[in-house]
Amino acid sequence: MPQPLLSVQNLWVTYPQPESSQQLTHAIANVSFELAAGEKIGFVGESGCGKSTLGKAIMRLLPEHSRIEGQILFEGQSIPEMNAQAIRRFRGEVVGLIFQDPMTRLDPLMSIGNHCLETLQAHEPTLTKQQAKQRALDTLAAVKIPEERWNQYPHEFSGGMRQRVAIALALLLNPKLIIADEPTTSLDVRVSAEILRELTRLCQERQMGLLLISHDLATIATYCDRIVVMNQGRKEEEGTVEQIFGNPQAEYTQILLRSALHIQANDKVASLTSAALAQKKPILTLDRLQKYYTIETSFLQRLFTNAKTETIKAVDNIHLELYEGEIFGLVGESGCGKSTLSRTILQLIPATGGTVTFCGEELTRLSPAAMRAKRRDMQMIFQDPSASLNPMMTVGESIADPLVIHEINATPAETKAQVLAMLERVGLTPALEYFDRYPNQLSGGQQQRVGIARALITKPKLVICDEPVSMLDATIQAEVLDLMLELKREDNLTYLFITHDLWLARFLCDRIAVMNQGQIVEMGDTQQIFSQPQQAYTQELLAAAPLLTKQG
């Protein structure tokens, strides 16, 4: 048999422990696997299972004083035994790493072009500047970044575009292996499909190995040859896509699959049709709503290039109505205007034109003080729970904060009682134990439950959910969604649910609007959108979305 590209045998990883700790906790416990040239292997499991630790161990990026036992061999050479010069060459030239958060890879003070040139100059100093730039432009073009964006900076790119840059940087040196840690979590379905197709094509053409780490089982099933299921640092199961998804042996794998298939199943929870909703009174009406941004050109640009002021139509003449008690889905690619629309509804950013009417009151005319009071009835659940919680505030303080902001009169004892009751409602029990914890002492799913509790503490009528489960694992996603549905039934909530996950929208929403370039291009009952999409753009989105039920 040919020598494997990567061989990991009996690997144990232990992170540095505080002096007070009497017990070692293994982040990786006796994991073995091999990866051949040109092969694509996927690692799945919940957060904290050791997937990312494994990638860091292969790249020698673990924290100082971490303990490693076992073997990690690349083409027969021991990675832990490489000297500083060898490991520097190994990272980038031999193995490329794509991180989940592209901003951990990009320097905000460097242009995209300079990022590429710096990487090439560090590893291939014999290239001329013109050769290096051409190599960089070709690689950027492969991930759909046009040449005219060469001199732009990371903050001028959307999250999805920044991730494309990170992928281009990993591919720049033609590595033999790519380790991709949740590379498409922040990307919408079409861009995600394009990039993963490109990665898998390159694997085949260049005989490059791919180690894909993801909590998205459908993505792993679509693009990988073999799958390793991990749980609490251990390998639960390994096999081909057909074996793992067609006949899973481990109970943990079966639980993961049930959670993912539950969301992708066609027996959606939504039951309100357009006809039924027409009998209700709208709780929110948007009429010709606009949010335009103007990009001013400098005097020199106007003088030498005849450049004109450019207008970006982030939200362009939107009209829609939300009815009491419905779940309305808003889907589309990153940069299409979904999040801008939600912030314009809440008047966090002022509208350029049009009206927003909530419970019979036109919001764009309200004073800042009046609008602030109105937000008591309009709350938001954010995509990244860790970023939306103040790390210096306890859980109890974070949930109580809206009560203070909106001056909902209560004694400290009454406020604490309300917060403890809300913690119980969102499943953080015993509530007293969570009340004094800080966000960094919670898992991602627990942090999102705190975010939900904070949004609901003021008893709102409308909750805007901006990708509220996109960063969570399949089992945690199912738990959080079940919680949101239960709270909706109990309090007759109305949800505006923003997502790029089409199957999640099908599972959850009564009606769906599809956005593209600031406009709603199609809107209707969920079943109608999925069974009879009228617009080519909607059809393209549906075709690009990976579907787990295609397996087996």
Side-chain angles (χ1 to χ4, degrees):
M1 287 182 64
Q3 177 179 268
L5 186 69
L6 176 69
S7 175
V8 175
Q9 299 299 326
N10 308 116
L11 181 66
W12 295 77
V13 174
T14 308
Y15 284 126
Q17 302 292 309
E19 293 182 7
S20 59
S21 177
Q22 301 295 314
Q23 186 177 7
L24 288 177
T25 302
H26 298 291
I28 299 288
N30 199 28
V31 169
S32 299
F33 72 93
E34 292 184 345
L35 177 66
E39 187 179 23
K40 305 173 291 293
I41 188 169
F43 278 74
V44 299
E46 296 174 294
S47 57
C49 72
K51 306 187 302 291
S52 296
T53 296
L54 183 67
K56 290 174 183 176
I58 294 169
M59 295 289 284
R60 285 258 303 267
L61 291 173
L62 292 170
E64 193 177 0
H65 305 306
S66 298
R67 199 170 79 186
I68 298 180
E69 299 173 31
Q71 283 189 331
I72 308 176
L73 303 176
F74 188 86
E75 294 185 328
Q77 185 179 4
S78 174
I79 296 173
E81 295 176 7
M82 288 181 180
N83 61 31
Q85 184 178 0
I87 198 67
R88 182 173 179 272
R89 177 185 167 275
F90 176 75
R91 295 179 190 144
E93 293 180 39
V94 181
V95 177
L97 180 60
I98 303 169
F99 295 94
Q100 178 175 359
D101 182 0
M103 287 307 282
T104 62
R105 177 71 174 86
L106 302 176
D107 185 336
L109 300 178
M110 288 177 63
S111 68
I112 298 307
N114 283 338
H115 273 90
C116 297
L117 294 178
E118 181 190 58
T119 301
L120 288 168
Q121 287 162 2
H123 290 273
E124 297 188 27
T126 58
L127 287 175
T128 67
K129 189 171 183 179
Q130 186 57 41
Q131 287 172 329
K133 183 172 182 178
Q134 192 56 53
R135 167 93 70 86
L137 287 172
D138 290 343
T139 308
L140 289 170
V143 293
K144 305 294 190 295
I145 296 177
E147 183 176 349
E148 53 265 28
R149 306 203 70 169
W150 176 265
N151 290 315
Q152 290 186 299
Y153 289 81
H155 74 271
E156 298 178 278
F157 283 64
S158 68
M161 290 294 282
R162 287 197 291 261
Q163 188 63 301
R164 293 194 217 188
V165 174
I167 292 169
L169 290 171
L171 295 172
L172 205 53
L173 299 169
N174 297 316
K176 296 180 179 179
L177 170 66
I178 290 285
I179 298 176
D181 190 353
E182 301 278 9
T184 57
T185 295
S186 62
L187 305 181
D188 37 75
V189 290
R190 284 208 312 176
V191 176
S192 175
E194 286 174 10
I195 286 173
L196 288 169
R197 279 198 299 265
E198 181 67 16
L199 274 175
T200 50
R201 181 185 67 79
L202 290 168
C203 285
Q204 185 174 0
E205 287 184 1
R206 304 179 185 181
Q207 283 299 284
M208 179 176 70
L210 175 64
L211 197 159
L212 180 60
I213 297 168
S214 179
H215 68 259
D216 188 334
L217 290 134
T219 294
I220 292 287
T222 304
Y223 295 101
C224 292
D225 305 311
R226 284 189 301 121
I227 296 173
V228 173
V229 181
M230 293 192 65
N231 182 28
Q232 297 181 342
R234 296 185 178 275
K235 184 173 78 172
E236 289 276 351
E237 193 167 356
E238 179 181 0
T240 65
V241 170
E242 292 77 14
Q243 290 168 342
I244 297 296
F245 289 98
N247 186 27
Q249 300 299 303
E251 182 182 359
Y252 177 75
T253 309
Q254 295 167 6
I255 292 170
L256 279 182
L257 282 170
R258 277 199 300 271
S259 298
L261 289 168
H262 174 58
I263 292 172
Q264 290 203 353
N266 201 14
D267 51 342
K268 67 185 183 74
V269 299
S271 57
L272 296 172
T273 63
S274 293
L277 291 167
Q279 308 302 314
K280 295 174 174 281
K281 188 176 180 181
I283 190 173
L284 177 73
T285 301
L286 311 182
D287 185 28
R288 293 168 291 174
L289 188 63
Q290 300 172 336
K291 179 58 189 176
Y292 296 171
Y293 292 99
T294 301
I295 299 178
E296 298 287 349
T297 54
S298 68
F299 173 75
L300 289 176
Q301 286 176 309
R302 291 195 297 271
L303 186 64
F304 291 109
T305 66
N306 200 29
K308 297 180 180 179
T309 299
E310 183 182 358
T311 299
I312 306 263
K313 297 182 178 181
V315 172
D316 189 18
N317 288 314
I318 297 293
H319 178 84
L320 62 85
E321 293 178 332
L322 265 69
Y323 296 91
E324 184 181 355
E326 83 165 318
I327 304 177
F328 187 93
L330 195 60
V331 302
E333 298 175 292
S334 62
C336 73
K338 303 188 302 293
S339 294
T340 301
L341 178 61
S342 70
R343 284 156 176 76
T344 309
I345 291 169
L346 290 168
Q347 296 297 289
L348 296 173
I349 51 177
T352 305
T355 60
V356 179
T357 305
F358 176 68
C359 292
E361 192 164 12
E362 215 284 275
L363 303 185
T364 60
R365 299 174 184 171
L366 296 182
S367 67
M371 188 61 228
R372 184 180 182 185
K374 201 69 181 173
R375 290 195 193 106
R376 172 178 175 172
D377 293 326
M378 307 167 72
Q379 289 292 311
M380 194 161 187
I381 301 170
F382 296 92
Q383 177 176 5
D384 185 351
S386 62
S388 65
L389 296 175
N390 188 332
M392 305 301 291
M393 294 173 69
T394 65
V395 165
E397 290 169 339
S398 289
I399 297 173
D401 201 37
L403 298 177
V404 177
I405 290 170
H406 292 288
E407 299 178 347
I408 298 174
N409 295 325
T411 66
E414 289 170 339
T415 297
K416 184 173 182 178
Q418 287 184 56
V419 172
L420 290 173
M422 186 56 72
L423 284 168
E424 293 280 349
R425 285 192 72 193
V426 298
L428 292 176
T429 56
L432 272 172
E433 182 180 322
Y434 286 94
F435 187 87
D436 291 318
R437 289 190 187 181
Y438 287 89
N440 66 354
Q441 296 173 303
L442 305 176
S443 69
Q446 290 169 338
Q447 288 174 349
Q448 194 60 297
R449 287 171 184 265
V450 173
I452 293 170
R454 183 181 59 183
L456 299 187
I457 194 73
T458 62
K459 300 180 180 177
K461 296 174 181 175
L462 171 67
V463 181
I464 298 176
C465 313
D466 192 353
E467 302 277 8
V469 295
S470 67
M471 300 185 73
L472 304 178
D473 310 305
T475 52
I476 308 301
Q477 269 194 6
E479 290 175 8
V480 170
L481 289 171
D482 287 342
L483 169 66
M484 291 177 67
L485 288 169
E486 181 184 344
L487 294 170
K488 175 192 175 299
R489 286 190 293 269
E490 291 175 0
D491 296 344
N492 193 32
L493 295 169
T494 303
Y495 287 148
L496 173 59
F497 201 92
I498 298 169
T499 182
H500 66 253
D501 187 330
L502 295 170
W503 308 123
L504 179 57
R506 183 179 70 172
F507 169 77
L508 201 64
C509 299
D510 301 299
R511 291 187 300 145
I512 289 175
V514 181
M515 276 193 82
N516 185 27
Q517 297 181 346
Q519 296 183 326
I520 290 178
V521 296
E522 188 163 0
M523 180 165 56
D525 291 339
T526 297
Q527 197 60 37
Q528 174 193 329
I529 293 290
F530 278 82
S531 61
Q532 296 177 321
Q534 300 300 305
Q535 300 297 317
Y537 177 75
T538 309
Q539 294 165 7
E540 289 172 18
L541 284 183
L542 290 171
L547 181 59
L548 190 59
T549 49
K550 291 177 182 175
Q551 303 298 323

